[in-house]
Amino acid sequence: MEEKHIEDDLEDDELYEHLNLTADPGQTPLRLDKFIGHHTNSSRNKIQNAIDSESVKVNGNLVKSSYKVRPGDNIIISLAKPPKEPSEVIPQDIPLDIIYEDNSVLLVNKDADMVVHPGFNNWDGTLVNALVFHFKNLPTSKNGTIRPGLVHRIDKGTTGLLVIAKTEYAMQYLAKQFADHSTERTYYCMVWGEPKEDKGTINANLGRGFKDRRISEVFPEGEHGRVAITHYEVIRRMRYVSLVKCNLETGRTHQIRAHMKHIGHPLFGDTTYGGDRALRGNMFSKYKQFVDNCFKIMPRQALHAKSLGFKHPETEEWMQFDSELPEDMVDLIAKWDHYVQHN
């Protein structure tokens, strides 16, 4: 296994997985800090700081340095500073669903299984690996060689539209629009429950969670985090779930997922924000089996980046794009519709 260093920087907006270890079946009980020390070049002081700052989890739980690592334990260290990147991205012949392309930009429709850019444990098989295969000399600007062409991103489990810059000028032009919040981004999601109002706005700061720094936590009083604004509209009510349209005024990490949970309506299938269990309805065996079958149809958060609008870098004309809902989301909606009609 390649040895890694643990860094101290914990102040960025994003966490990166630096170390993912599983103890061998023959592992004898050993203090967590010592165990990590045997697998990294980092000092014990840095390891201790990482544990104290709640950047280390064992089997998904926060523990102390004195925790004794046992056979099969999974240890993950997530820090704000990204791990050392490879010198270049591996081009891979991965098919892309391209819905528009010209000399400056291209629009892709990302599927649910694809990570947007390389990172720890995902150095290949990503959208970027496909992009560098199909397109030469993509711009890097300030985002580095590991993310050529990218001006925004969506989570692995989220499907939908992404705009890619093909020139340095296009990257700077588009990046400014995303920074100024002048783009138009509409998402469709399935949430648990039925919001009281047909339309509403969630204006609540988002920041990295204090207990789990890999999630976005809501700070409604604005005491922490950054301004985050989501406008939502209920498209269809299905008794225990609802299809909701969300427009982003800002673009924070996990914004829709965290905001919808904040108002009591987590996204269906969202394991990170508590939507991966039945939150509405009775627990009779027939209903429970129905919900379990729905999770099999949608084994991810039910979120799709449906439309995207921006001003073109060269023509300065407004460009507006729309995409169809993915098959799993269409099937999920149909299954709930059928259940509501017949029960």
Side-chain angles (χ1 to χ4, degrees):
M1 176 180 293
E2 181 184 354
E3 292 187 328
K4 304 182 181 297
H5 289 275
I6 299 173
E7 304 292 347
D8 296 318
D9 186 359
L10 301 172
E11 296 303 321
D12 275 346
D13 291 324
E14 179 182 6
L15 280 186
Y16 301 84
E17 194 173 274
H18 276 242
L19 195 67
N20 191 322
L21 296 170
T22 299
D24 294 334
Q27 175 68 47
T28 56
L30 182 67
R31 281 178 58 103
L32 176 62
D33 50 4
K34 290 185 176 180
F35 178 86
I36 294 174
H38 289 170
H39 292 84
T40 73
N41 284 331
S42 299
S43 67
R44 188 168 183 177
N45 184 52
K46 284 189 175 182
I47 295 171
Q48 185 68 58
N49 287 340
I51 297 172
D52 290 345
S53 64
E54 300 186 344
S55 298
V56 181
K57 285 193 174 185
V58 178
N59 303 325
N61 301 311
L62 296 173
V63 295
K64 296 181 178 180
S65 298
S66 58
Y67 173 87
K68 297 295 180 63
V69 176
R70 294 170 175 78
D73 278 352
N74 178 241
I75 296 92
I76 295 178
I77 301 176
S78 301
L79 301 173
K81 189 169 183 178
K84 203 170 193 179
E85 298 174 348
S87 58
E88 60 182 20
V89 179
I90 303 169
Q92 292 179 296
D93 188 4
I94 303 170
L96 291 174
D97 182 7
I98 298 175
I99 65 171
Y100 175 82
E101 181 185 359
D102 61 29
N103 292 330
S104 297
V105 300
L106 70 125
L107 271 289
V108 297
N109 191 20
K110 187 186 84 67
D111 65 35
D113 296 324
M114 181 176 278
V115 175
V116 171
H117 60 76
F120 189 81
N121 280 345
N122 289 296
W123 292 123
D124 57 16
T126 72
L127 173 63
V128 164
N129 293 104
L131 288 172
V132 296
F133 178 89
H134 295 288
F135 303 94
K136 306 304 179 185
N137 302 316
L138 288 174
T140 59
S141 191
K142 293 182 180 180
N143 70 11
T145 57
I146 204 72
R147 303 183 188 184
L150 294 186
V151 291
H152 68 129
R153 62 185 177 181
I154 54 179
D155 300 328
K156 177 184 178 182
T158 301
T159 55
L161 298 178
L162 282 165
V163 60
I164 309 298
K166 295 178 68 177
T167 68
E168 289 286 353
Y169 179 76
M171 172 166 279
Q172 295 173 13
Y173 193 93
L174 291 169
K176 185 176 186 303
Q177 290 184 66
F178 278 92
D180 294 343
H181 313 308
S182 58
T183 58
E184 183 279 325
R185 284 174 287 174
T186 299
Y187 291 72
Y188 273 42
C189 58
M190 179 83 87
V191 305
W192 281 106
E194 296 186 79
K196 292 181 180 179
E197 305 295 332
D198 289 337
K199 295 182 179 181
T201 295
I202 307 168
N203 188 340
N205 281 21
L206 287 175
R208 191 182 305 156
F210 290 136
K211 293 183 178 179
D212 187 344
R213 298 174 66 84
R214 291 174 296 179
I215 69 168
S216 291
E217 188 171 339
V218 176
F219 300 97
E221 303 301 322
E223 68 276 25
H224 299 289
R226 294 190 291 173
V227 172
I229 302 172
T230 304
H231 306 285
Y232 69 88
E233 178 181 353
V234 179
I235 302 300
R236 190 179 308 175
R237 298 176 181 272
M238 291 169 277
R239 194 181 304 166
Y240 303 127
V241 295
S242 299
L243 181 65
V244 175
K245 177 174 71 174
C246 293
N247 285 92
L248 296 182
E249 188 169 320
T250 56
R252 309 306 182 198
T253 301
H254 297 178
Q255 179 170 320
I256 293 173
R257 298 165 67 184
H259 267 176
M260 294 311 295
K261 179 185 179 181
H262 174 63
I263 65 170
H265 302 286
L267 269 58
F268 185 92
D270 193 339
T271 58
T272 302
Y273 292 92
D276 56 343
R277 55 192 174 88
L279 298 177
R280 299 290 192 280
N282 60 66
M283 287 298 104
F284 295 130
S285 59
K286 183 180 178 181
Y287 176 73
K288 187 176 183 300
Q289 183 60 54
F290 164 75
V291 173
D292 287 343
N293 289 335
C294 287
F295 283 135
K296 291 177 182 177
I297 292 174
M298 177 66 68
R300 63 180 181 91
Q301 65 265 15
L303 182 61
H304 176 70
K306 194 172 191 305
S307 71
L308 178 61
F310 56 89
K311 190 182 289 187
H312 192 276
E314 297 297 336
T315 67
E316 297 189 351
E317 294 180 359
W318 184 257
M319 306 284 284
Q320 187 71 41
F321 299 91
D322 189 72
S323 63
E324 299 294 328
L325 292 178
E327 184 178 353
D328 57 358
M329 204 162 177
V330 171
D331 291 345
L332 180 67
I333 294 169
K335 193 170 184 67
W336 275 100
D337 273 338
H338 184 271
Y339 181 86
V340 170
Q341 293 171 12
H342 295 87
N343 290 275

